[in-house]
Amino acid sequence: MTGVPASAEGGQGRPAPGGKLGAAAVNQASVWNIANILTMMRLVLVPAFVALLLQDGGYDPAWRAWAWAAFAVAMITDIFDGHLARTYNLVTDFGKIADPIADKAIMAAGLISLSALGDLPWWVTGVILFRELGITLMRFWVIRLGVIPASRGGKMKTLAQGVAVGMYVLALTGPLATLRFWVMAVAVVLTVVTGLDYVRQAIVLRRAGRAAERERPGSAL
C-alpha cells in the first residue's frame, strides 16, 4: 500500500531500515514510483476481472479460472506495493488516495459480480460492503484526533475475504465448494467483529479528544 505515513518508517526522505535504494531515489519519490504503478495496475485489473468473470454468462470454468488469476494478481500486488512503500518510503498523495480505492474496488467488484450471478447471497455482499464503507466514513470522522492502527484482526479479515472471494470465483464442486462456504462464513464473522471493534475504538478516541479539548486553557466549559 502506498498510503503508509512517512513518519512510521523513519521520516520523509530517509529510507527505512533494510532499504537498498539510494537516498536520491527515495528523496525523489514521485507518482510514477513502483508502488504506485502496482496500485494503478490493480485499478486496471478491476474491469478486466469483471469482464473475464462474466464471459459466456459467467459460468464457463475456463473464463472463471482466468478471472481468478486476475483477482489473485490484484491481491498479490496489494501485498507488494505495501512492502515497497514501507521499505523505501515511497509515499505520495496519489498513493494515499488510490491504494484504498483499489483495495475496495477489486473486492466490491468480486462480491457484486458473484451475487449478480447467484453464487453468493446478496446479504453477504451487503454486510461486507456496508462495513467497508462505514469504516471509511468513520476514519474521516476521527482523523483530526488520530489514526486507529490496523489490527491483527483486520488483517485476518482482509485475508479471509480475499481467499473466500477467490474460491467463489473458481468453479469449485464437491468438498471444495463446501469449504468455500465456511471460509466465507469466517470472513463475514471477522468483518462484523473487526468492524464493531473499530467503531468502539473510534468512539473512545473521539471522547478522549473532546475531553482534551475541554481541558485546554481558554476552552469553553
Side-chain angles (χ1 to χ4, degrees), residues 49-50 53 71 103-130 132 160-162 164-166 168-169 184 187-188 191:
F49 160 69
V50 173
L53 180 58
F71 183 81
D103 294 344
K104 290 175 175 56
I106 190 68
M107 188 60 63
L111 291 166
I112 292 172
S113 297
L114 290 169
S115 291
L117 290 171
D119 293 343
L120 191 66
W122 277 106
W123 71 264
V124 173
T125 295
V127 167
I128 293 177
L129 295 185
F130 178 79
E132 299 301 332
Q161 286 181 358
V165 170
Y168 269 87
V169 168
M184 181 60 77
V188 171
T191 296

Side-chain angles (χ1 to χ4, degrees), residues 22-94:
V26 175
N27 287 332
Q28 297 173 15
S30 69
V31 171
W32 295 105
N33 65 61
I34 184 62
N36 281 348
I37 290 173
L38 289 175
T39 298
M40 288 183 273
M41 185 172 73
R42 198 155 73 254
L43 285 168
V44 172
L45 281 172
V46 174
F49 160 69
V50 173
L52 290 168
L53 180 58
L54 300 181
Q55 280 292 322
D56 290 342
Y59 296 103
D60 185 293
W63 283 114
R64 292 188 73 139
W66 281 109
W68 177 87
F71 183 81
V73 169
M75 294 294 99
I76 291 171
T77 59
D78 184 26
I79 297 173
F80 277 101
D81 69 3
H83 173 74
L84 290 168
R86 288 188 296 271
T87 301
Y88 301 121
N89 203 12
L90 302 177
V91 180
T92 65
D93 290 337
F94 170 82

Side-chain angles (χ1 to χ4, degrees), residues 27 36 47 65 128 130 134 143 153 159-160 168 176 182 190 214-215:
N27 287 332
N36 281 348
I128 293 177
F130 178 79
I143 195 170
L159 176 62
Y168 269 87
L176 288 176
W182 291 109
L190 288 173
R214 286 195 297 269
E215 293 173 0

Side-chain angles (χ1 to χ4, degrees), residues 169-187:
V169 168
L170 289 170
L172 301 178
T173 58
L176 288 176
T178 302
L179 177 61
R180 71 182 182 183
F181 169 83
W182 291 109
V183 175
M184 181 60 77
V186 170

